[in-house]
PDB file of all heavy atoms in Angstrom:
ATOM      1  N   PRO A  23       0.846  -1.220   0.034  1.00  0.00           N
ATOM      2  CA  PRO A  23      -0.004  -0.019   0.025  1.00  0.00           C
ATOM      3  C   PRO A  23       0.823   1.261  -0.002  1.00  0.00           C
ATOM      4  O   PRO A  23       1.052   1.884   1.018  1.00  0.00           O
ATOM      5  CB  PRO A  23      -0.814  -0.118   1.270  1.00  0.00           C
ATOM      6  CG  PRO A  23       0.024  -0.933   2.186  1.00  0.00           C
ATOM      7  CD  PRO A  23       0.732  -1.932   1.256  1.00  0.00           C
ATOM      8  N   SER A  24       1.285   1.639  -1.122  1.00  0.00           N
ATOM      9  CA  SER A  24       2.024   2.949  -1.249  1.00  0.00           C
ATOM     10  C   SER A  24       1.138   3.977  -1.942  1.00  0.00           C
ATOM     11  O   SER A  24       0.132   3.637  -2.481  1.00  0.00           O
ATOM     12  CB  SER A  24       3.363   2.721  -1.994  1.00  0.00           C
ATOM     13  OG  SER A  24       3.041   2.317  -3.353  1.00  0.00           O
ATOM     14  N   GLY A  25       1.649   5.195  -1.991  1.00  0.00           N
ATOM     15  CA  GLY A  25       0.885   6.186  -2.648  1.00  0.00           C
ATOM     16  C   GLY A  25       0.668   5.958  -4.114  1.00  0.00           C
ATOM     17  O   GLY A  25      -0.374   6.220  -4.671  1.00  0.00           O
ATOM     18  N   ASN A  26       1.698   5.409  -4.807  1.00  0.00           N
ATOM     19  CA  ASN A  26       1.631   5.140  -6.234  1.00  0.00           C
ATOM     20  C   ASN A  26       1.979   3.725  -6.520  1.00  0.00           C
ATOM     21  O   ASN A  26       2.857   3.415  -7.198  1.00  0.00           O
ATOM     22  CB  ASN A  26       2.588   6.079  -6.984  1.00  0.00           C
ATOM     23  CG  ASN A  26       2.218   7.522  -6.864  1.00  0.00           C
ATOM     24  OD1 ASN A  26       1.080   7.888  -6.889  1.00  0.00           O
ATOM     25  ND2 ASN A  26       3.221   8.324  -6.616  1.00  0.00           N
ATOM     26  N   GLY A  27       1.192   2.777  -5.944  1.00  0.00           N
ATOM     27  CA  GLY A  27       1.477   1.399  -6.071  1.00  0.00           C
ATOM     28  C   GLY A  27       1.005   0.829  -7.410  1.00  0.00           C
ATOM     29  O   GLY A  27       0.433   1.534  -8.187  1.00  0.00           O
ATOM     30  N   LEU A  28       1.259  -0.444  -7.534  1.00  0.00           N
ATOM     31  CA  LEU A  28       0.879  -1.131  -8.800  1.00  0.00           C
ATOM     32  C   LEU A  28      -0.717  -1.186  -8.835  1.00  0.00           C
ATOM     33  O   LEU A  28      -1.316  -1.048  -9.894  1.00  0.00           O
ATOM     34  CB  LEU A  28       1.434  -2.504  -8.841  1.00  0.00           C
ATOM     35  CG  LEU A  28       1.121  -3.370 -10.018  1.00  0.00           C
ATOM     36  CD1 LEU A  28       1.691  -2.696 -11.250  1.00  0.00           C
ATOM     37  CD2 LEU A  28       1.746  -4.785  -9.858  1.00  0.00           C
ATOM     38  N   PHE A  29      -1.308  -1.515  -7.692  1.00  0.00           N
ATOM     39  CA  PHE A  29      -2.757  -1.601  -7.671  1.00  0.00           C
ATOM     40  C   PHE A  29      -3.333  -0.468  -6.835  1.00  0.00           C
ATOM     41  O   PHE A  29      -2.796  -0.140  -5.790  1.00  0.00           O
ATOM     42  CB  PHE A  29      -3.142  -2.960  -7.036  1.00  0.00           C
ATOM     43  CG  PHE A  29      -2.544  -4.087  -7.639  1.00  0.00           C
ATOM     44  CD1 PHE A  29      -1.535  -4.868  -7.075  1.00  0.00           C
ATOM     45  CD2 PHE A  29      -2.989  -4.532  -8.936  1.00  0.00           C
ATOM     46  CE1 PHE A  29      -0.944  -5.950  -7.701  1.00  0.00           C
ATOM     47  CE2 PHE A  29      -2.431  -5.607  -9.507  1.00  0.00           C
ATOM     48  CZ  PHE A  29      -1.360  -6.282  -8.922  1.00  0.00           C
ATOM     49  N   ARG A  30      -4.454   0.101  -7.268  1.00  0.00           N
ATOM     50  CA  ARG A  30      -5.054   1.211  -6.528  1.00  0.00           C
ATOM     51  C   ARG A  30      -5.850   0.660  -5.323  1.00  0.00           C
ATOM     52  O   ARG A  30      -6.677  -0.187  -5.456  1.00  0.00           O
ATOM     53  CB  ARG A  30      -5.950   1.958  -7.426  1.00  0.00           C
ATOM     54  CG  ARG A  30      -6.561   3.165  -6.724  1.00  0.00           C
ATOM     55  CD  ARG A  30      -7.380   4.024  -7.701  1.00  0.00           C
ATOM     56  NE  ARG A  30      -8.072   5.036  -7.091  1.00  0.00           N
ATOM     57  CZ  ARG A  30      -7.647   6.236  -6.803  1.00  0.00           C
ATOM     58  NH1 ARG A  30      -6.450   6.543  -7.184  1.00  0.00           N
ATOM     59  NH2 ARG A  30      -8.371   7.109  -6.179  1.00  0.00           N
ATOM     60  N   HIS A  31      -5.600   1.209  -4.141  1.00  0.00           N
ATOM     61  CA  HIS A  31      -6.301   0.854  -2.902  1.00  0.00           C
ATOM     62  C   HIS A  31      -6.250   2.072  -1.925  1.00  0.00           C
ATOM     63  O   HIS A  31      -5.617   3.047  -2.163  1.00  0.00           O
ATOM     64  CB  HIS A  31      -5.785  -0.417  -2.305  1.00  0.00           C
ATOM     65  CG  HIS A  31      -4.304  -0.523  -2.208  1.00  0.00           C
ATOM     66  ND1 HIS A  31      -3.569   0.211  -1.386  1.00  0.00           N
ATOM     67  CD2 HIS A  31      -3.440  -1.198  -2.956  1.00  0.00           C
ATOM     68  CE1 HIS A  31      -2.307  -0.015  -1.564  1.00  0.00           C
ATOM     69  NE2 HIS A  31      -2.183  -0.865  -2.515  1.00  0.00           N
ATOM     70  N   ASP A  32      -6.991   1.870  -0.802  1.00  0.00           N
ATOM     71  CA  ASP A  32      -7.114   2.967   0.099  1.00  0.00           C
ATOM     72  C   ASP A  32      -6.251   2.870   1.349  1.00  0.00           C
ATOM     73  O   ASP A  32      -6.599   3.364   2.349  1.00  0.00           O
ATOM     74  CB  ASP A  32      -8.620   3.124   0.499  1.00  0.00           C
ATOM     75  CG  ASP A  32      -9.411   3.559  -0.671  1.00  0.00           C
ATOM     76  OD1 ASP A  32      -8.954   4.266  -1.592  1.00  0.00           O
ATOM     77  OD2 ASP A  32     -10.627   3.122  -0.758  1.00  0.00           O
ATOM     78  N   GLY A  33      -5.178   2.080   1.252  1.00  0.00           N
ATOM     79  CA  GLY A  33      -4.333   1.987   2.406  1.00  0.00           C
ATOM     80  C   GLY A  33      -4.792   0.840   3.367  1.00  0.00           C
ATOM     81  O   GLY A  33      -5.694   0.138   3.118  1.00  0.00           O
ATOM     82  N   ILE A  34      -4.003   0.719   4.433  1.00  0.00           N
ATOM     83  CA  ILE A  34      -4.366  -0.330   5.463  1.00  0.00           C
ATOM     84  C   ILE A  34      -5.013   0.271   6.720  1.00  0.00           C
ATOM     85  O   ILE A  34      -4.657   1.375   7.088  1.00  0.00           O
ATOM     86  CB  ILE A  34      -3.018  -0.974   5.881  1.00  0.00           C
ATOM     87  CG1 ILE A  34      -2.384  -1.681   4.752  1.00  0.00           C
ATOM     88  CG2 ILE A  34      -3.271  -1.965   7.015  1.00  0.00           C
ATOM     89  CD1 ILE A  34      -1.014  -2.221   4.961  1.00  0.00           C
ATOM     90  N   GLN A  35      -5.982  -0.411   7.238  1.00  0.00           N
ATOM     91  CA  GLN A  35      -6.669   0.051   8.477  1.00  0.00           C
ATOM     92  C   GLN A  35      -5.954  -0.572   9.657  1.00  0.00           C
ATOM     93  O   GLN A  35      -6.031  -1.746   9.819  1.00  0.00           O
ATOM     94  CB  GLN A  35      -8.121  -0.326   8.429  1.00  0.00           C
ATOM     95  CG  GLN A  35      -8.928   0.417   7.362  1.00  0.00           C
ATOM     96  CD  GLN A  35     -10.365  -0.048   7.435  1.00  0.00           C
ATOM     97  OE1 GLN A  35     -10.736  -0.968   8.189  1.00  0.00           O
ATOM     98  NE2 GLN A  35     -11.165   0.596   6.640  1.00  0.00           N
ATOM     99  N   ILE A  36      -5.267   0.236  10.405  1.00  0.00           N
ATOM    100  CA  ILE A  36      -4.717  -0.198  11.719  1.00  0.00           C
ATOM    101  C   ILE A  36      -5.349   0.566  12.804  1.00  0.00           C
ATOM    102  O   ILE A  36      -5.548   1.810  12.634  1.00  0.00           O
ATOM    103  CB  ILE A  36      -3.114   0.014  11.719  1.00  0.00           C
ATOM    104  CG1 ILE A  36      -2.546  -0.930  10.620  1.00  0.00           C
ATOM    105  CG2 ILE A  36      -2.569  -0.286  13.025  1.00  0.00           C
ATOM    106  CD1 ILE A  36      -1.055  -0.814  10.449  1.00  0.00           C
ATOM    107  N   ARG A  37      -5.705  -0.007  13.901  1.00  0.00           N
ATOM    108  CA  ARG A  37      -6.521   0.519  14.947  1.00  0.00           C
ATOM    109  C   ARG A  37      -5.947   1.949  15.432  1.00  0.00           C
ATOM    110  O   ARG A  37      -6.755   2.882  15.622  1.00  0.00           O
ATOM    111  CB  ARG A  37      -6.648  -0.377  16.131  1.00  0.00           C
ATOM    112  CG  ARG A  37      -7.574   0.089  17.159  1.00  0.00           C
ATOM    113  CD  ARG A  37      -7.721  -0.822  18.347  1.00  0.00           C
ATOM    114  NE  ARG A  37      -7.705  -2.242  17.878  1.00  0.00           N
ATOM    115  CZ  ARG A  37      -7.326  -3.310  18.664  1.00  0.00           C
ATOM    116  NH1 ARG A  37      -6.900  -3.076  19.855  1.00  0.00           N
ATOM    117  NH2 ARG A  37      -7.393  -4.421  18.164  1.00  0.00           N
ATOM    118  N   THR A  38      -4.634   2.036  15.645  1.00  0.00           N
ATOM    119  CA  THR A  38      -4.085   3.249  16.116  1.00  0.00           C
ATOM    120  C   THR A  38      -4.170   4.401  15.070  1.00  0.00           C
ATOM    121  O   THR A  38      -4.362   5.545  15.461  1.00  0.00           O
ATOM    122  CB  THR A  38      -2.602   3.136  16.517  1.00  0.00           C
ATOM    123  OG1 THR A  38      -1.884   2.597  15.412  1.00  0.00           O
ATOM    124  CG2 THR A  38      -2.517   2.131  17.670  1.00  0.00           C
ATOM    125  N   CYS A  39      -4.162   4.045  13.829  1.00  0.00           N
ATOM    126  CA  CYS A  39      -4.294   5.140  12.772  1.00  0.00           C
ATOM    127  C   CYS A  39      -5.753   5.457  12.571  1.00  0.00           C
ATOM    128  O   CYS A  39      -6.080   6.644  12.329  1.00  0.00           O
ATOM    129  CB  CYS A  39      -3.566   4.645  11.561  1.00  0.00           C
ATOM    130  SG  CYS A  39      -3.417   5.886  10.279  1.00  0.00           S
ATOM    131  N   THR A  40      -6.632   4.457  12.564  1.00  0.00           N
ATOM    132  CA  THR A  40      -8.039   4.779  12.353  1.00  0.00           C
ATOM    133  C   THR A  40      -8.614   5.592  13.484  1.00  0.00           C
ATOM    134  O   THR A  40      -9.529   6.290  13.283  1.00  0.00           O
ATOM    135  CB  THR A  40      -8.843   3.488  12.102  1.00  0.00           C
ATOM    136  OG1 THR A  40      -8.635   2.560  13.202  1.00  0.00           O
ATOM    137  CG2 THR A  40      -8.471   2.831  10.843  1.00  0.00           C
ATOM    138  N   ALA A  41      -8.027   5.523  14.673  1.00  0.00           N
ATOM    139  CA  ALA A  41      -8.451   6.387  15.754  1.00  0.00           C
ATOM    140  C   ALA A  41      -8.152   7.819  15.491  1.00  0.00           C
ATOM    141  O   ALA A  41      -8.832   8.726  15.935  1.00  0.00           O
ATOM    142  CB  ALA A  41      -7.785   5.912  17.055  1.00  0.00           C
ATOM    143  N   LEU A  42      -7.143   8.056  14.660  1.00  0.00           N
ATOM    144  CA  LEU A  42      -6.777   9.399  14.214  1.00  0.00           C
ATOM    145  C   LEU A  42      -7.463   9.743  12.916  1.00  0.00           C
ATOM    146  O   LEU A  42      -7.208  10.789  12.284  1.00  0.00           O
ATOM    147  CB  LEU A  42      -5.234   9.556  14.013  1.00  0.00           C
ATOM    148  CG  LEU A  42      -4.388   9.257  15.268  1.00  0.00           C
ATOM    149  CD1 LEU A  42      -2.931   9.225  14.833  1.00  0.00           C
ATOM    150  CD2 LEU A  42      -4.602  10.430  16.247  1.00  0.00           C
ATOM    151  N   LYS A  43      -8.417   8.892  12.422  1.00  0.00           N
ATOM    152  CA  LYS A  43      -9.143   9.078  11.208  1.00  0.00           C
ATOM    153  C   LYS A  43      -8.221   9.107  10.016  1.00  0.00           C
ATOM    154  O   LYS A  43      -8.363   9.910   9.103  1.00  0.00           O
ATOM    155  CB  LYS A  43     -10.036  10.324  11.270  1.00  0.00           C
ATOM    156  CG  LYS A  43     -11.079  10.216  12.291  1.00  0.00           C
ATOM    157  CD  LYS A  43     -11.933  11.409  12.343  1.00  0.00           C
ATOM    158  CE  LYS A  43     -12.930  11.243  13.460  1.00  0.00           C
ATOM    159  NZ  LYS A  43     -13.706  12.555  13.733  1.00  0.00           N
ATOM    160  N   GLY A  44      -7.224   8.158   9.982  1.00  0.00           N
ATOM    161  CA  GLY A  44      -6.285   8.059   8.886  1.00  0.00           C
ATOM    162  C   GLY A  44      -6.154   6.699   8.348  1.00  0.00           C
ATOM    163  O   GLY A  44      -6.824   5.750   8.784  1.00  0.00           O
ATOM    164  N   ARG A  45      -5.242   6.544   7.438  1.00  0.00           N
ATOM    165  CA  ARG A  45      -4.900   5.222   6.768  1.00  0.00           C
ATOM    166  C   ARG A  45      -3.365   5.157   6.768  1.00  0.00           C
ATOM    167  O   ARG A  45      -2.710   6.045   6.738  1.00  0.00           O
ATOM    168  CB  ARG A  45      -5.425   5.139   5.384  1.00  0.00           C
ATOM    169  CG  ARG A  45      -6.902   5.173   5.252  1.00  0.00           C
ATOM    170  CD  ARG A  45      -7.484   3.861   5.719  1.00  0.00           C
ATOM    171  NE  ARG A  45      -8.953   3.891   5.644  1.00  0.00           N
ATOM    172  CZ  ARG A  45      -9.617   3.101   4.886  1.00  0.00           C
ATOM    173  NH1 ARG A  45      -9.069   2.238   4.037  1.00  0.00           N
ATOM    174  NH2 ARG A  45     -10.959   3.130   4.885  1.00  0.00           N
ATOM    175  N   CYS A  46      -2.883   3.795   6.654  1.00  0.00           N
ATOM    176  CA  CYS A  46      -1.479   3.545   6.694  1.00  0.00           C
ATOM    177  C   CYS A  46      -0.949   3.265   5.283  1.00  0.00           C
ATOM    178  O   CYS A  46      -1.630   2.498   4.528  1.00  0.00           O
ATOM    179  CB  CYS A  46      -1.168   2.430   7.583  1.00  0.00           C
ATOM    180  SG  CYS A  46      -1.490   2.761   9.313  1.00  0.00           S
ATOM    181  N   PHE A  47       0.108   3.907   4.865  1.00  0.00           N
ATOM    182  CA  PHE A  47       0.694   3.756   3.542  1.00  0.00           C
ATOM    183  C   PHE A  47       2.221   3.751   3.740  1.00  0.00           C
ATOM    184  O   PHE A  47       2.769   4.120   4.741  1.00  0.00           O
ATOM    185  CB  PHE A  47       0.374   4.947   2.597  1.00  0.00           C
ATOM    186  CG  PHE A  47      -1.049   5.129   2.317  1.00  0.00           C
ATOM    187  CD1 PHE A  47      -1.798   6.074   2.968  1.00  0.00           C
ATOM    188  CD2 PHE A  47      -1.658   4.438   1.352  1.00  0.00           C
ATOM    189  CE1 PHE A  47      -3.080   6.312   2.739  1.00  0.00           C
ATOM    190  CE2 PHE A  47      -3.005   4.680   0.996  1.00  0.00           C
ATOM    191  CZ  PHE A  47      -3.714   5.579   1.686  1.00  0.00           C
ATOM    192  N   PHE A  48       2.951   3.288   2.616  1.00  0.00           N
ATOM    193  CA  PHE A  48       4.386   3.556   2.576  1.00  0.00           C
ATOM    194  C   PHE A  48       4.594   4.905   1.992  1.00  0.00           C
ATOM    195  O   PHE A  48       4.773   5.072   0.751  1.00  0.00           O
ATOM    196  CB  PHE A  48       5.040   2.491   1.669  1.00  0.00           C
ATOM    197  CG  PHE A  48       5.286   1.221   2.346  1.00  0.00           C
ATOM    198  CD1 PHE A  48       4.611   0.077   1.936  1.00  0.00           C
ATOM    199  CD2 PHE A  48       6.249   1.083   3.371  1.00  0.00           C
ATOM    200  CE1 PHE A  48       4.828  -1.141   2.548  1.00  0.00           C
ATOM    201  CE2 PHE A  48       6.426  -0.111   4.005  1.00  0.00           C
ATOM    202  CZ  PHE A  48       5.764  -1.211   3.602  1.00  0.00           C
ATOM    203  N   GLY A  49       4.582   5.952   2.772  1.00  0.00           N
ATOM    204  CA  GLY A  49       4.663   7.307   2.335  1.00  0.00           C
ATOM    205  C   GLY A  49       3.280   7.839   2.002  1.00  0.00           C
ATOM    206  O   GLY A  49       2.398   7.150   1.547  1.00  0.00           O
ATOM    207  N   CYS A  50       3.047   9.146   2.304  1.00  0.00           N
ATOM    208  CA  CYS A  50       1.717   9.695   2.095  1.00  0.00           C
ATOM    209  C   CYS A  50       1.497  10.091   0.611  1.00  0.00           C
ATOM    210  O   CYS A  50       2.363  10.489  -0.082  1.00  0.00           O
ATOM    211  CB  CYS A  50       1.521  10.951   2.949  1.00  0.00           C
ATOM    212  SG  CYS A  50       1.554  10.622   4.765  1.00  0.00           S
ATOM    213  N   ARG A  51       0.244   9.850   0.174  1.00  0.00           N
ATOM    214  CA  ARG A  51      -0.137  10.288  -1.163  1.00  0.00           C
ATOM    215  C   ARG A  51      -0.257  11.760  -1.222  1.00  0.00           C
ATOM    216  O   ARG A  51      -0.246  12.514  -0.231  1.00  0.00           O
ATOM    217  CB  ARG A  51      -1.504   9.737  -1.468  1.00  0.00           C
ATOM    218  CG  ARG A  51      -1.668   8.256  -1.521  1.00  0.00           C
ATOM    219  CD  ARG A  51      -3.091   7.887  -1.629  1.00  0.00           C
ATOM    220  NE  ARG A  51      -3.324   6.692  -2.336  1.00  0.00           N
ATOM    221  CZ  ARG A  51      -4.536   6.286  -2.678  1.00  0.00           C
ATOM    222  NH1 ARG A  51      -5.568   6.972  -2.397  1.00  0.00           N
ATOM    223  NH2 ARG A  51      -4.629   5.151  -3.285  1.00  0.00           N
ATOM    224  N   ALA A  52      -0.398  12.306  -2.464  1.00  0.00           N
ATOM    225  CA  ALA A  52      -0.645  13.764  -2.626  1.00  0.00           C
ATOM    226  C   ALA A  52      -2.021  13.982  -2.134  1.00  0.00           C
ATOM    227  O   ALA A  52      -3.027  13.306  -2.408  1.00  0.00           O
ATOM    228  CB  ALA A  52      -0.575  14.086  -4.175  1.00  0.00           C
ATOM    229  N   GLY A  53      -2.148  15.087  -1.288  1.00  0.00           N
ATOM    230  CA  GLY A  53      -3.438  15.423  -0.656  1.00  0.00           C
ATOM    231  C   GLY A  53      -3.648  14.789   0.673  1.00  0.00           C
ATOM    232  O   GLY A  53      -4.673  14.900   1.238  1.00  0.00           O
ATOM    233  N   TRP A  54      -2.657  14.095   1.177  1.00  0.00           N
ATOM    234  CA  TRP A  54      -2.697  13.462   2.507  1.00  0.00           C
ATOM    235  C   TRP A  54      -1.589  14.059   3.380  1.00  0.00           C
ATOM    236  O   TRP A  54      -0.543  14.417   2.888  1.00  0.00           O
ATOM    237  CB  TRP A  54      -2.557  11.988   2.399  1.00  0.00           C
ATOM    238  CG  TRP A  54      -3.637  11.247   1.737  1.00  0.00           C
ATOM    239  CD1 TRP A  54      -4.035  11.332   0.435  1.00  0.00           C
ATOM    240  CD2 TRP A  54      -4.547  10.360   2.389  1.00  0.00           C
ATOM    241  NE1 TRP A  54      -5.085  10.536   0.187  1.00  0.00           N
ATOM    242  CE2 TRP A  54      -5.480   9.920   1.405  1.00  0.00           C
ATOM    243  CE3 TRP A  54      -4.736   9.914   3.702  1.00  0.00           C
ATOM    244  CZ2 TRP A  54      -6.521   9.039   1.648  1.00  0.00           C
ATOM    245  CZ3 TRP A  54      -5.782   9.024   3.958  1.00  0.00           C
ATOM    246  CH2 TRP A  54      -6.641   8.625   2.914  1.00  0.00           C
ATOM    247  N   THR A  55      -1.802  14.171   4.679  1.00  0.00           N
ATOM    248  CA  THR A  55      -0.839  14.761   5.616  1.00  0.00           C
ATOM    249  C   THR A  55      -0.327  13.687   6.592  1.00  0.00           C
ATOM    250  O   THR A  55      -1.173  12.860   7.088  1.00  0.00           O
ATOM    251  CB  THR A  55      -1.542  15.873   6.460  1.00  0.00           C
ATOM    252  OG1 THR A  55      -2.071  16.824   5.583  1.00  0.00           O
ATOM    253  CG2 THR A  55      -0.510  16.536   7.350  1.00  0.00           C
ATOM    254  N   TRP A  56       1.011  13.641   6.744  1.00  0.00           N
ATOM    255  CA  TRP A  56       1.566  12.642   7.627  1.00  0.00           C
ATOM    256  C   TRP A  56       1.212  12.999   9.085  1.00  0.00           C
ATOM    257  O   TRP A  56       1.328  14.082   9.485  1.00  0.00           O
ATOM    258  CB  TRP A  56       3.124  12.632   7.444  1.00  0.00           C
ATOM    259  CG  TRP A  56       3.831  11.548   8.212  1.00  0.00           C
ATOM    260  CD1 TRP A  56       3.970  10.303   7.815  1.00  0.00           C
ATOM    261  CD2 TRP A  56       4.332  11.661   9.557  1.00  0.00           C
ATOM    262  NE1 TRP A  56       4.658   9.583   8.801  1.00  0.00           N
ATOM    263  CE2 TRP A  56       4.875  10.349   9.847  1.00  0.00           C
ATOM    264  CE3 TRP A  56       4.436  12.664  10.494  1.00  0.00           C
ATOM    265  CZ2 TRP A  56       5.474  10.105  11.080  1.00  0.00           C
ATOM    266  CZ3 TRP A  56       4.991  12.354  11.740  1.00  0.00           C
ATOM    267  CH2 TRP A  56       5.567  11.140  11.958  1.00  0.00           C
ATOM    268  N   VAL A  57       0.870  11.906   9.870  1.00  0.00           N
ATOM    269  CA  VAL A  57       0.430  12.117  11.300  1.00  0.00           C
ATOM    270  C   VAL A  57       1.425  11.430  12.209  1.00  0.00           C
ATOM    271  O   VAL A  57       1.916  11.944  13.179  1.00  0.00           O
ATOM    272  CB  VAL A  57      -0.995  11.718  11.512  1.00  0.00           C
ATOM    273  CG1 VAL A  57      -1.336  11.804  12.955  1.00  0.00           C
ATOM    274  CG2 VAL A  57      -1.905  12.462  10.629  1.00  0.00           C
TER     275      VAL A  57
END
C-alpha cells in the first residue's frame, strides 16, 4: 500500500491510525498529511 502502487487501494486500516481518522501507507499520497 504505497501512494503510487501497482494496484489502486485505500491503504491499510490499523486501529491506532483509524483512531486518528487516517490510513497507513508507505509514504503519504498527494493530498494526505503525515500524522
Side-chain angles (χ1 to χ4, degrees):
S24 63
N26 298 318
L28 180 64
F29 305 108
R30 183 172 170 91
H31 45 73
D32 295 329
I34 297 174
Q35 293 180 354
I36 295 178
R37 188 181 318 155
T38 56
C39 189
T40 53
L42 299 171
K43 298 181 181 171
R45 295 287 179 116
C46 294
F47 297 98
F48 277 113
C50 295
R51 297 171 151 188
W54 292 69
T55 304
W56 186 87
V57 178

